[in-house]
Amino acid sequence: MPVEFLGIAATHDGSETAPRSGAAFDKEYTLRLARAHEENGWDRVLFAYGSGSPDPAPAAAYIASRLDRLQILLAHRPNVSYPTFAAKTFATLDQISEGRLTVHFITGGNDHEQGREGDTLTKDERYARTREYIRIVKKIWTTHEPFDHEGEHYRFHDFVSDVFPVQHPRPGVSFGGSSPAAYAAGGAEADIFCLWGEPLEKTSEQIESVKAAAKAAGRTEAPRIQAAFRPIIAPTEELAWEKAHRTVGAIKARKEKGELLTRRHNGQGQPQNSGSQRLIAIAEAGERYDRALWTPTAAATGGAGNSNALVGTPETVARALLDYYDLGVDILSARGYDLLDDAIDFGRYVIPIVREEVAKRDAERATRGTQNLAAVHG
């Protein structure tokens, strides 16, 4: 199966290890970073969402109008706009990008962060809303006759859009999470299910949960699986580990200065979302797992988002990613701490190794299939 690489479309140069040097939306840097991904072998970039961050949709449109190949993963929270409005926004962006859009729907795992934009629903209510929202958006994308909707969270009448996506039948839908409610929602509605990087055994368990949820929803094919990591690479193993410890030191230094919120969206208390809780538990159980997974980066940030690292030479990190590919992860998400330079290095030195090895696996699989077919008819 093909492998794809997802990077980050940050709108400024800040990260957990260093504050940004300019405005929250630095359009020159945004374009420079996106172009670095396009020119170094990446398939798509994520435009993330935060309650106080620059709006990702116009930022994505800005990049789509200036680059020719790079695909876009646009994060969107259902609480911030009505689905009729959002579906038109997405369709317009798919037109601007000439069919390069996937939408990542975020239910929201933190009450404090959701409340910043007026969302007062409980977590279970948010998941129910997201499922209804996605179904409406899909229908708007593919329906050319006016229709009514009477649901639990949304009601409207005689709606039909005048703008439709380039992609047929529609753009892809991405979804993520690590709770039973997330597996159920994503298993039912998503084309891509996104996981944060965990040890291989736990990742395999999560994949099986997604497959089971898809089957329970009556689907014959489960969503594709994406897993996200923070690669820390260097020419030698020794240099890579020195870099890894410097990285954690920089994160802790920012934390001590009060520059870094160590609980996602809210600097106090334990995280509410299952994904962050899992990352913290994994970090507490051990620092190193499998071939190259390292948890102190997650521990230092309080399990904030994609925060487990893969540490080593490009060859080591590539082999670690191939271990996940062999589990069934065919979209590999990676984001360094020096966003621009790390995107270039990862693209130059890791992506080619993974693509070459995946091509070998696919060729071997095709050969075995031909041989088995010949044996059956022999």
Side-chain angles (χ1 to χ4, degrees):
M1 58 183 175
V3 62
E4 296 181 9
F5 288 91
L6 170 70
I8 189 71
T11 59
H12 58 75
D13 60 357
S15 76
E16 297 93 330
T17 59
R20 69 178 189 242
S21 62
F25 180 56
D26 179 340
K27 71 176 186 178
E28 285 76 19
Y29 181 85
T30 302
L31 179 57
R32 186 180 177 195
L33 180 61
R35 182 171 285 125
H37 282 86
E38 182 171 82
E39 293 176 349
N40 286 280
W42 298 79
D43 296 286
R44 60 169 60 90
V45 288
L46 166 66
F47 284 85
Y49 189 93
S51 60
S53 301
D55 187 346
Y62 170 68
I63 293 303
S65 67
R66 284 158 176 79
L67 300 181
D68 298 324
R69 302 185 307 277
L70 194 65
Q71 298 177 54
I72 292 164
L73 179 60
L74 178 69
H76 180 77
R77 287 186 189 161
N79 62 290
V80 300
S81 67
Y82 216 71
T84 51
F85 176 85
K88 294 184 296 180
T89 299
F90 304 147
T92 303
L93 183 52
D94 200 53
Q95 290 282 345
I96 292 171
S97 67
E98 299 182 325
R100 288 179 280 151
L101 176 70
T102 300
V103 182
H104 180 67
F105 290 91
I106 303 173
T107 297
N110 183 283
D111 293 343
H112 180 83
E113 167 69 2
Q114 295 300 123
R116 284 172 168 163
E117 293 187 286
D119 189 3
T120 59
L121 298 186
T122 66
K123 184 176 180 180
D124 288 343
E125 289 171 336
R126 292 198 297 267
Y127 273 110
R129 178 182 61 191
T130 299
R131 292 182 72 163
E132 183 178 346
Y133 196 98
I134 292 173
R135 289 168 182 165
I136 292 169
V137 169
K138 287 179 178 177
K139 188 169 183 178
I140 292 171
W141 280 342
T142 56
T143 301
H144 291 259
E145 297 296 330
F147 69 95
D148 299 339
H149 179 82
E150 292 281 348
E152 180 181 359
H153 297 279
Y154 303 103
R155 294 173 183 163
F156 55 86
H157 304 283
D158 198 39
F159 181 82
V160 63
S161 177
D162 196 33
V163 58
F164 291 89
V166 171
Q167 298 177 74
H168 292 285
R170 57 173 175 78
V173 167
S174 172
F175 191 88
S178 297
S179 67
Y183 300 143
E189 300 296 339
D191 303 301
I192 299 168
F193 196 97
C194 306
L195 304 171
W196 289 335
E198 295 188 4
L200 291 166
E201 181 179 1
K202 292 186 177 295
T203 299
S204 180
E205 292 169 357
Q206 286 192 287
I207 292 172
E208 291 307 311
S209 295
V210 174
K211 288 180 178 179
K215 184 176 180 181
R219 297 178 63 176
T220 56
E221 292 187 9
R224 298 173 66 191
I225 301 296
Q226 173 184 304
F229 306 91
R230 306 300 293 269
I232 300 175
I233 62 173
T236 69
E237 296 292 328
E238 181 180 11
L239 290 173
W241 284 105
E242 289 177 0
K243 183 178 178 181
H245 288 288
R246 287 198 308 272
T247 297
V248 169
I251 294 172
K252 291 180 177 178
R254 291 201 68 204
K255 172 184 173 182
E256 291 171 0
K257 294 178 182 178
E259 297 176 348
L260 183 69
L261 293 181
T262 57
R263 298 296 181 200
R264 195 177 190 195
H265 314 309
N266 179 15
Q268 301 175 354
Q270 291 294 317
Q272 294 178 322
N273 61 306
S274 297
S276 292
Q277 292 170 5
R278 289 173 65 99
L279 293 187
I280 291 172
I282 290 166
E284 290 174 346
E287 288 193 358
R288 296 181 66 171
Y289 292 86
D290 306 318
R291 195 186 299 271
L293 193 73
W294 195 55
T295 65
T297 46
T301 61
N306 169 24
S307 50
N308 270 339
L310 292 175
V311 182
T313 63
E315 293 77 15
T316 295
V317 170
R319 288 196 297 269
L321 291 170
L322 286 162
D323 291 338
Y324 287 92
Y325 175 82
D326 290 338
L327 286 182
V329 179
D330 64 345
I331 302 176
L332 300 169
S333 174
R335 171 165 59 100
Y337 291 93
D338 182 335
L339 300 179
L340 181 61
D341 288 345
D342 287 348
I344 293 170
D345 287 346
F346 187 89
R348 287 178 176 174
Y349 303 118
V350 177
I351 289 178
I353 298 174
V354 176
R355 290 201 192 280
E356 182 179 357
E357 289 301 318
V358 167
K360 290 179 182 178
R361 284 164 165 74
D362 289 347
E364 291 169 357
R365 191 178 297 113
T367 299
R368 287 195 299 271
T370 302
Q371 292 172 343
N372 291 339
L373 186 63
V376 168
H377 295 284

